[in-house]
């Protein structure tokens, strides 16, 4: 199974018991299991994150968690038969810090401390059941949101002895593998994000309208922490070039994002 919430309580208990019997690729002494047997796989839980906020006049409010969920599902599918890792996708947390969207209909902002507390509560509940490896998969890049995610991971690792990591796509080593628009910072509901939505849920994009939208050359990479879409010149809550988006580019980008996520999963499983 791919989804944590689809498991029964007994299946979760078995998952924990099996993973405790040996590390990745090796059976525990006296377990009767051969190295690499499926019962020895290390559980890694993926938590999709994002924000409910305007993504131009053409794309859905839930663009960010939709992309995170798509990454998690693809990574879980790719590793479904893996001998070392057992990947499960947690129910997503679709709400985030989204002050930049103020002034537009549809944004649902939660404060930094609310988000931090929610993530720490979720993570500590899982760590307390010996499910210590949790990977935060995020596609909402407002600076205050990212700071909160990084702080939540640190809290879970130092206060609860977790093995929690954030796949931080804005870090240079990750960003340089993504599209030119993403690297430019012009990537809110532009070609980059709209292509990803077209790849997974094309019916959610108003494509005739999308094709009429002009390029908006605003880089979120240089956005002030106390700014907002309107103040930055994003009068329709997007930047970049959504008119150039295609499903084929979205599939290609999803493949790269999945590569990054699989690498992060394997790294976390080795800890």
């Amino acid at each position: 199974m791919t989804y944590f919430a689809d498991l029964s309580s007994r299946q979760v208990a078995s998952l924990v018991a099996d993973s405790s019997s040996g590390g990745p690729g090796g059976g525990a002494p006296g377990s009767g299991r051969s190295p690499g047997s499926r019962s020895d796989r290390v559980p890694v839980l993926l938590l999709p994150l994002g924000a409910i906020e305007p993504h131009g006049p053409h794309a859905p409010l839930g663009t960010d968690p939709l992309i995170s969920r798509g990454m998690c599902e693809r990574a879980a599918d790719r590793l479904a038969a893996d001998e070392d890792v057992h990947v499960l996708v947690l129910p997503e947390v679709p709400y985030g810090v989204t002050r930049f969207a103020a002034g537009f209909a549809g944004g649902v902002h939660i404060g930094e401390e609310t988000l931090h507390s929610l993530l720490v509560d979720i993570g500590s509940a899982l760590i307390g059941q010996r499910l210590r490896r949790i990977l935060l998969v995020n596609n909402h890049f407002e600076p205050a949101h990212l700071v909160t995610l990084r702080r939540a991971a640190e809290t879970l690792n130092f206060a609860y002895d977790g093995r929690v990591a954030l796949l931080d796509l804005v870090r240079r080593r990750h960003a340089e593998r993504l599209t030119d628009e993403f690297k430019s910072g012009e990537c809110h509901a532009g070609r980059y994000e709209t292509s990803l939505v077209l790849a997974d849920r094309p019916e959610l994009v108003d494509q005739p309208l999308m094709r009429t939208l002009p390029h908006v050359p605003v880089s979120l990479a240089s956005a002030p922490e106390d700014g907002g879409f309107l103040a930055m010149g994003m009068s329709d809550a997007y930047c970049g070039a959504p008119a150039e988006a295609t499903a084929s580019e979205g599939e290609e980008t999803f493949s790269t994002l999945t590569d990054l996520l699989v690498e992060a999963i394997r790294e976390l499983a080795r800890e």
Side-chain angles (χ1 to χ4, degrees):
M1 290 185 182
T2 297
Y3 303 101
F4 183 82
D6 288 346
L7 300 176
S8 69
S9 176
R10 179 172 293 184
Q11 287 172 316
V12 173
S14 177
L15 175 71
V16 172
D18 287 343
S19 67
S20 297
S21 67
S31 68
R33 301 186 181 99
S34 61
S37 65
R38 292 181 66 84
S39 60
D40 285 331
R41 296 191 301 167
V42 175
V44 176
L45 307 185
L46 308 181
L47 180 58
L49 303 169
I52 302 300
E53 64 173 1
H55 279 78
H58 62 291
L61 299 171
T63 290
D64 297 343
L66 184 155
I67 296 170
S68 295
R69 184 170 64 251
M71 290 173 60
C72 292
E73 290 172 342
R74 285 168 171 80
D77 287 346
R78 189 181 294 184
L79 293 172
D82 192 83
E83 293 185 346
D84 296 330
V85 183
H86 188 168
V87 177
L88 289 164
V89 182
L90 292 161
E92 67 197 54
V93 176
Y95 301 109
V97 179
T98 178
R99 293 188 181 89
F100 281 6
F104 293 94
V108 182
H109 163 77
I110 63 173
E112 289 90 336
E113 293 310 314
T114 300
L115 179 60
H116 179 267
S117 294
L118 177 60
L119 295 177
V120 169
D121 281 354
I122 292 170
S124 61
L126 294 165
I127 294 167
Q129 298 173 63
R130 292 184 292 164
L131 293 167
R132 301 170 68 199
R133 292 173 174 84
I134 305 166
L135 189 53
L136 308 181
V137 183
N138 171 65
N139 279 277
H140 175 56
F141 306 116
E142 190 162 325
H145 180 83
L146 289 173
V147 169
T148 303
L149 300 187
R150 294 166 187 153
R151 183 161 60 92
E154 290 177 359
T155 299
L156 288 166
N157 289 333
F158 290 104
Y160 294 92
D161 195 27
R163 300 292 182 270
V164 180
L166 168 66
L167 178 57
D168 201 339
L169 294 175
V170 301
R171 296 299 192 194
R172 184 181 299 275
R173 66 189 178 98
H174 294 141
E176 66 186 6
R177 295 169 62 178
L178 296 171
T179 69
D180 288 341
E181 186 182 82
F182 185 90
K183 287 182 283 191
S184 76
E186 297 179 10
C187 54
H188 182 79
R191 175 173 174 170
Y192 172 83
E193 286 191 329
T194 305
S195 291
L196 289 164
V197 180
L198 286 172
D200 250 16
R201 296 290 304 277
E203 75 278 8
L204 297 181
V205 178
D206 185 337
Q207 296 185 52
L209 175 59
M210 177 194 82
R211 299 301 175 197
T212 71
L213 296 174
H215 174 226
V216 175
V218 172
S219 175
L220 297 180
S222 57
E225 289 189 11
D226 58 350
F229 293 159
L230 288 172
M232 286 184 273
M234 296 166 57
S235 59
D236 276 324
Y238 79 90
C239 59
E244 300 174 7
T246 64
S248 59
E249 178 174 311
E251 288 291 0
E252 184 176 346
T253 302
F254 261 130
S255 180
T256 302
L257 289 168
T258 305
D259 290 342
L260 291 170
L261 181 50
V262 167
E263 291 166 14
I265 290 167
R266 293 199 182 284
E267 182 178 345
L268 190 59
R270 288 193 293 268
E271 292 189 4

